[in-house]
Amino acid sequence: MIFINKIKDIYVKLSIFSFFLLTAAGLGAQEQGAILVRGNIWSRGLPGIESNDFPVLHGEYSLKTGEKRADMAFSVWICGEPLAFSRNGWQTRQGIQGYTAFQHREEETFFIAVPLQNNQGAYTAMFRFTGDETEALLNRLIRAWSSRFLYFLSSIKNASDISLPAVINF
């Protein structure tokens, strides 16, 4: 009986050690992500577009890049209108697989607009960045955010139930 208790004790200690070892290993390999820190605020006016009064849902995110430099923040606005971005400095953005996107720079601010559509309707997502992140990072982020938003959008019953994604992993 003493032998069995010692084996159980060793098993428990190895299990705990393995758990902490796997957890520590996973910390270095975490995905990049974004967390909604302020959001689901209804307001009027879509930034990056001259004089408009569109009703928009706004949120601010903290972006965890896993790089040594400081994490950055970005903002997103959702507008229930399919907008055209063919002039006034807007250019087509390449590299966001599965999505059409447009970009525009105003001094230190970088805007990326993504038209989104599903069975609930047509929307435009406007992203505002003030950092200097890589093109590939922004493309992965926008693709993951848009996919997550459309996933949640497909499950709502009323347009008033629309919400911004709280956590995005990419």
Side-chain angles (χ1 to χ4, degrees):
M1 191 63 139
I2 293 174
F3 179 72
I4 293 174
N5 286 338
K6 284 189 178 190
I7 298 255
K8 285 182 182 178
D9 186 46
I10 291 171
Y11 175 76
V12 168
K13 287 179 182 175
L14 281 175
S15 296
I16 292 170
F17 175 74
S18 297
F19 171 76
F20 284 112
L21 186 62
L22 290 172
T23 301
L27 288 177
Q30 284 183 347
E31 292 180 320
Q32 297 171 326
I35 298 172
L36 183 67
V37 293
R38 182 173 179 250
N40 288 329
I41 301 166
W42 283 99
S43 60
R44 299 191 77 75
L46 194 61
I49 299 175
E50 294 180 10
S51 303
N52 69 83
D53 196 33
F54 296 116
V56 294
L57 184 61
H58 173 245
E60 296 173 9
Y61 287 83
S62 173
L63 177 62
K64 306 295 182 191
T65 62
E67 297 178 14
K68 291 183 180 180
R69 64 181 167 211
D71 294 326
M72 66 177 274
F74 67 96
S75 298
V76 178
W77 289 262
I78 286 290
C79 173
E81 300 288 332
L83 303 175
F85 294 93
S86 60
R87 54 189 171 118
N88 296 335
W90 287 91
Q91 301 170 346
T92 302
R93 181 178 180 85
Q94 303 298 322
I96 304 176
Q97 184 181 0
Y99 295 94
T100 300
F102 304 91
Q103 63 187 22
H104 174 67
R105 184 170 292 279
E106 291 179 4
E107 297 177 13
E108 299 296 319
T109 305
F110 187 56
F111 292 99
I112 299 175
V114 181
L116 301 169
Q117 187 168 354
N118 72 357
N119 60 349
Q120 297 289 350
Y123 295 84
T124 299
M126 179 70 73
F127 297 83
R128 181 180 67 192
F129 299 94
T130 55
D132 189 26
E133 293 301 322
T134 65
E135 295 292 313
L137 176 85
L138 294 182
N139 287 348
R140 287 193 318 271
L141 165 66
I142 290 169
R143 183 173 188 270
W145 190 97
S146 298
S147 296
R148 195 80 174 147
F149 175 76
L150 287 173
Y151 171 77
F152 287 121
L153 186 64
S154 68
S155 66
I156 66 170
K157 292 186 171 114
N158 299 312
S160 62
D161 295 335
I162 197 170
S163 173
L164 301 174
V167 177
I168 306 297
N169 292 314
F170 59 98

